[in-house]
Amino acid sequence: MTVRRSVSIANDSSQLSSVRGLVKDLLETSPFDSTWRNKIVVAVDEALANVVEHAYEGDRGEIQILLELDHSRLQVVIRDSGVKFNPGDRLQSEIDIHEHIRKGLKGGLGMFLMQQIMDEVRFTQDAQHCVNELVMVKRLPPPEPQSQSESE
Amino acid sequence: MPDLKLSQETLPEGVCYIEAKGFLDAHTFEEMEQLINSVFRQNCFRLIVKLEELQYISSAGAGVFVGAIGRAKENGGDIVFLKPSPPVKEVFDLLGLSAIFQFASSREEAQGCFS
């Protein structure tokens, strides 16, 4: 069975908490444990916060979030119609946190968290329709082995 | 709407005690940043930040501390986290901050980090 949720929000950081709630509610029905649920909520929040901050360069705009949970994975799609986004070298699998501290850098940590938490993070642009799309996938954990009494 | 609640008091030996409750994210991080900057302006660079009732932190929230600890240390101080909640500690662990910041499980232990 596939469970789908979708919501459209304004590019306003006050909307982030409601999307976190939506993701959390969906994950309640998944086999992810509470630690992973929290981490996945963080990854989605980071991705969305990035779009809220950068996509429309201060203008108003709409952001669409699609969540899809099936037997094998959670897929998160975030779409906006803002400026073309190219993650470039910001999509890093490693960061030098000591350098961040040395230089007093506060940014650049969100992309790293997304990479750390999710199995796939892909950015695409549909230039014809001026749409940026971010797709993140987290594969479900393998099923718990059945206990002896359950298997009998 | 979930929000951030901050309180501040001054302890002996020039230690500033901040308690954060709620949600420290891209919407609320500036409140924490402003509070830490105001503490620094009062020449207080020894910070204990209680995070026991902070339910959520994003990179924007963690970034406030990443941006502040260098200045605290340059001025002979430090930032000590008191009892971070499990989801907050997970984010610190993912970012590698648990190896850089000091953590304490009681106020006395946190104050001891400055003696």
Side-chain angles (χ1 to χ4, degrees):
Chain A
M1 190 177 74
T2 302
V3 183
R4 294 184 179 87
R5 298 281 185 274
S6 67
V7 64
S8 291
I9 63 164
N11 60 328
D12 185 327
S13 61
S14 67
Q15 302 289 312
L16 293 171
S17 61
S18 65
V19 177
R20 289 201 300 267
L22 185 76
V23 177
K24 197 175 169 188
D25 286 349
L26 178 65
L27 291 173
E28 294 289 332
T29 65
S30 77
F32 291 110
D33 64 22
S34 63
T35 299
W36 273 106
R37 287 177 200 169
N38 288 333
K39 287 180 181 178
I40 293 166
V41 168
V42 169
V44 178
D45 188 52
E46 295 294 347
L48 193 53
N50 192 48
V51 176
V52 165
E53 185 178 355
H54 299 294
Y56 293 101
E57 298 184 315
D59 289 336
R60 286 171 177 242
E62 189 176 277
I63 302 165
Q64 190 180 22
I65 301 107
L66 309 165
L67 309 172
E68 194 174 282
L69 178 68
D70 65 22
H71 67 284
S72 64
R73 53 87 171 118
L74 168 76
Q75 178 171 278
V76 180
V77 179
I78 299 176
R79 291 191 188 117
D80 69 77
S81 305
V83 294
K84 186 177 175 184
F85 179 70
N86 181 359
D89 58 4
R90 279 185 281 179
L91 201 54
Q92 301 168 46
S93 55
E94 288 183 16
I95 54 166
D96 185 345
I97 197 71
H98 291 278
E99 188 179 344
H100 272 71
I101 287 171
R102 229 178 4 257
K103 294 181 176 174
L105 300 174
K106 295 174 287 183
L109 305 176
M111 293 270 199
F112 170 73
L113 283 176
M114 290 156 56
Q115 288 276 84
Q116 285 286 100
I117 294 165
M118 304 302 278
D119 293 316
E120 296 175 32
V121 179
R122 303 190 302 269
F123 290 88
T124 58
Q125 293 96 33
D126 179 347
Q128 190 179 352
H129 299 98
C130 301
V131 173
N132 293 303
E133 186 173 274
L134 163 61
V135 179
M136 298 194 294
V137 172
K138 184 69 187 176
R139 288 185 286 278
L140 267 58
E144 294 279 327
Q146 285 188 319
S147 68
Q148 187 122 14
S149 58
E150 286 172 340
S151 59
E152 283 171 357
Chain B
M1 183 196 308
D3 57 6
L4 176 67
K5 288 190 170 56
L6 297 173
S7 61
Q8 179 209 337
E9 63 179 288
T10 304
L11 303 181
E13 299 181 31
V15 176
C16 179
Y17 181 87
I18 293 172
E19 182 165 4
K21 298 180 180 179
F23 300 81
L24 182 50
D25 66 1
H27 185 58
T28 60
F29 78 96
E30 287 176 342
E31 293 173 50
M32 176 62 88
E33 195 167 59
Q34 285 165 10
L35 177 59
I36 290 180
N37 285 338
S38 95
V39 167
F40 282 172
R41 278 197 298 274
Q42 295 162 38
N43 286 321
C44 180
F45 297 98
R46 297 173 159 194
L47 271 61
I48 296 172
V49 186
K50 187 181 181 192
L51 301 175
E52 188 174 18
E53 292 182 60
L54 190 70
Q55 296 174 51
Y56 181 80
I57 192 166
S58 71
S59 70
V64 174
F65 302 115
V66 170
I69 192 172
R71 191 164 165 214
K73 287 193 167 181
E74 281 167 15
N75 289 278
D78 205 344
I79 298 175
V80 179
F81 292 125
L82 176 57
K83 296 189 197 173
S85 64
V88 170
K89 184 65 165 56
E90 281 160 18
V91 172
F92 286 159
D93 289 345
L94 282 169
L95 290 172
L97 299 180
S98 299
I100 291 167
F101 286 82
Q102 297 195 72
F103 293 83
S105 54
S106 70
R107 196 153 141 164
E108 294 70 30
E109 185 189 347
Q111 283 181 269
C113 294
F114 297 111
S115 57

